[in-house]
């Protein structure tokens, strides 16, 4: 299955070192509809790198590739490859504020070069018959007026881009770390709502500070989509009710036990190919977030999954550790319960 029709009501943000193909496979088990984004991949890595930076699992659809770059020709080369590989969307990063990204002349600093962004988007649209979208901020440094944002949107819209994912904070290009840029600049949700009111023909999703599905429903009253970042990684079971609450499906909610069981063939295949257990279990650490005994689960995985020869028994041992640390009156993990 390729190029699945996208409903961006809910998506998971591209997060460097986090949203790799193992996390995306894991996330897909909990939600069939959520749009998943790759980590940002630079054009240089795809064109000149030694590895396969476009690899993904077919089960991940709908899946979007986020590209980092500012050379229209290079972006077009990568977009064509991504289209041929079956990605459902290509997203241009115009939001990352890190020094390394700025030195490469891409990310949030591109907000200051809207015509270049338009050229990049146009070049990709010419070679890829899938949506080409832009993830941006509401502003950069002192350029944070609503006029600045609409001028940017107008320029990119002019080449046919109809989908924008807007992180509702501006970015400080100097003086703040990427982590601080996710927390210190104030959230301005109303700015994004206003953008949708003024550009009703565009598909506008919001990103930044969203922690619950209830928050998401509130945003969806005003917007087309919500993108959740760190919360969906640190508390991944949040995704288990997305299909029901956000997309209106009436299927049963998958249990945590079922998630683990359905991960097992994937993990065993990864190990058989020479991979290490912690490459996958690091993404599963938060599966029991907030439940009694979850510390035992996290600790056992953290202390044992990285060891040479670690196999799937480590995961079931981690479940047992969690069981042992629960109050006696608490519900047991087996058989299929609805934790």
């Amino acid at each position: 299955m390729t190029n699945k029709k996208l409903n961006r009501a809910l998506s998971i943000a591209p997060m460097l070192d986090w949203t790799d193909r193992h996390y995306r496979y894991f996330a897909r088990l909990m939600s069939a509809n959520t749009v998943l984004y790759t980590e940002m991949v630079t054009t240089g890595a795809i064109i000149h790198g030694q590895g396969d930076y476009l690899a993904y699992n077919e089960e991940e659809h709908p899946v979007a590739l986020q590209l980092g770059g500012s050379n229209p020709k290079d972006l077009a080369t990568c977009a064509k490859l991504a289209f041929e590989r079956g990605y459902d969307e290509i997203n241009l990063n115009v939001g990352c504020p890190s020094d390394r990204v700025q030195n490469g002349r891409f990310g949030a600093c591109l907000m200051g070069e809207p015509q270049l962004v338009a050229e990049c988007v146009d070049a990709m649209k010419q070679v890829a018959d899938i949506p080409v979208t832009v993830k941006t901020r509401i502003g950069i440094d002192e350029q944070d007026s609503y006029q600045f944002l609409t001028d940017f949107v107008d320029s990119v819209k002019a080449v046919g881009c109809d989908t924008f994912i807007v992180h509702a904070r501006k970015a400080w290009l100097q003086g703040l770390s990427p982590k601080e840029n996710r927390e210190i600049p104030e959230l301005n949700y109303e700015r994004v709502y206003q953008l949708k009111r003024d550009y009703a023909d565009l598909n506008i999703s919001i990103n930044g500070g969203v922690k619950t599905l209830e928050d998401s429903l509130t945003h969806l009253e005003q917007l087309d989509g919500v993108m959740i970042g760190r919360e969906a990684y640190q508390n991944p079971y949040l995704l288990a009710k997305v299909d029901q609450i956000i997309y209106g499906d009436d299927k049963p909610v998958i249990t945590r036990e079922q998630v683990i069981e359905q991960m097992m063939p994937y993990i065993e295949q990864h190990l058989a190919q020479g991979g290490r257990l912690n490459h996958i279990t690091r993404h599963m650490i938060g599966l029991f977030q907030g439940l009694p005994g979850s510390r035992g689960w996290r600790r056992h995985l953290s202390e044992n999954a990285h060891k040479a020869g670690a196999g799937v028994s480590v995961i079931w041992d981690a479940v047992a550790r969690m069981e042992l640390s629960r109050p006696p009156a608490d519900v047991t993990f087996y058989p299929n319960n609805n934790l």
Side-chain angles (χ1 to χ4, degrees):
M1 180 177 63
T2 59
N3 303 150
K4 182 174 179 177
K5 174 70 174 172
L6 294 179
N7 178 337
R8 298 185 187 82
L10 195 99
S11 59
I12 305 303
M15 292 177 280
L16 202 58
D17 297 326
W18 287 6
T19 53
D20 65 13
R21 60 191 178 92
H22 301 315
Y23 170 78
R24 299 192 304 266
Y25 186 94
F26 172 55
R28 182 58 70 218
L29 293 179
M30 291 175 278
S31 171
N33 296 295
T34 300
V35 180
L36 303 175
Y37 283 73
T38 69
E39 306 167 88
M40 182 187 68
V41 186
T42 66
T43 54
I46 294 171
I47 295 171
H48 305 295
Q50 299 300 309
D52 181 1
Y53 289 91
L54 295 177
Y56 69 95
N57 308 290
E58 281 297 315
E59 293 85 354
E60 293 174 35
H61 290 289
V63 59
L65 171 70
Q66 189 185 62
L67 288 173
S70 60
N71 181 298
K73 181 174 179 292
D74 289 349
L75 284 164
T77 297
C78 295
K80 187 172 187 294
L81 291 171
F83 173 60
E84 291 169 350
R85 292 287 286 270
Y87 277 93
D88 300 292
E89 173 188 322
I90 298 162
N91 178 262
L92 181 63
N93 184 316
V94 189
C96 181
S98 78
D99 291 340
R100 183 164 61 92
V101 164
Q102 290 181 58
N103 292 336
R105 199 187 175 201
F106 56 92
C109 64
L110 284 177
M111 276 201 85
E113 300 185 72
Q115 283 307 127
L116 176 58
V117 175
E119 291 172 22
C120 291
V121 169
D122 188 45
M124 290 188 282
K125 285 179 67 65
Q126 297 299 321
V127 297
D129 189 22
I130 52 175
V132 176
T133 68
V134 169
K135 186 173 188 293
T136 188
R137 296 272 183 145
I138 58 173
I140 50 174
D141 297 334
E142 302 300 340
Q143 298 174 290
D144 61 355
S145 68
Y146 184 62
Q147 184 69 49
F148 176 75
L149 177 59
T150 58
D151 286 348
F152 174 83
V153 169
D154 284 338
S155 296
V156 184
K157 178 187 175 185
V159 297
C161 182
D162 63 4
T163 300
F164 293 81
I165 302 156
V166 186
H167 187 151
R169 289 183 174 94
K170 73 174 181 179
W172 286 103
L173 299 181
Q174 302 294 331
L176 293 183
S177 69
K179 180 177 186 295
E180 290 169 330
N181 259 303
R182 292 192 298 267
E183 298 168 352
I184 292 176
E186 290 185 7
L187 284 163
N188 188 343
Y189 292 145
E190 180 55 36
R191 179 71 53 90
V192 186
Y193 295 165
Q194 185 64 50
L195 193 67
K196 177 60 184 179
R197 288 194 290 268
D198 292 340
Y199 294 86
D201 57 326
L202 296 181
N203 186 293
I204 306 287
S205 291
I206 198 165
N207 173 228
V210 184
K211 295 186 179 298
T212 68
L213 297 186
E214 289 72 21
D215 290 344
S216 301
L217 289 173
T218 299
H219 289 306
L220 287 169
E221 293 174 5
Q222 309 265 353
L223 300 162
D224 301 293
V226 175
M227 176 177 274
I228 300 182
R230 285 166 290 165
E231 190 67 21
Y233 189 87
Q234 295 163 353
N235 181 22
Y237 195 66
L238 170 83
L239 298 176
K241 293 183 179 180
V242 165
D243 292 349
Q244 293 79 4
I245 292 176
I246 303 296
Y247 290 94
D249 286 359
D250 58 4
K251 65 183 179 182
V253 174
I254 192 171
T255 66
R256 290 175 173 88
E257 178 189 7
Q258 289 168 337
V259 173
I260 293 173
E261 288 173 342
Q262 290 180 31
M263 280 297 294
M264 286 303 173
Y266 180 82
I267 294 171
E268 288 168 345
Q269 181 182 41
H270 173 72
L271 296 174
Q273 294 170 345
R276 298 180 74 95
L277 183 65
N278 67 312
H279 293 166
I280 298 175
T281 56
R282 71 187 185 94
H283 303 302
M284 300 172 66
I285 292 284
L287 184 59
F288 294 94
Q289 180 79 11
L291 289 185
S294 60
R295 183 178 299 178
W297 160 266
R298 293 195 304 270
R299 178 180 296 169
H300 191 75
L301 289 183
S302 298
E303 293 177 353
N304 295 281
H306 68 280
K307 294 178 180 177
V312 294
S313 61
V314 170
I315 298 173
W316 294 121
D317 288 345
V319 171
R321 296 296 190 283
M322 181 173 167
E323 281 296 302
L324 291 171
S325 62
R326 289 187 176 195
D330 199 68
V331 64
T332 56
F333 190 72
Y334 297 103
N336 292 308
N337 60 67
N338 290 313
L339 277 176

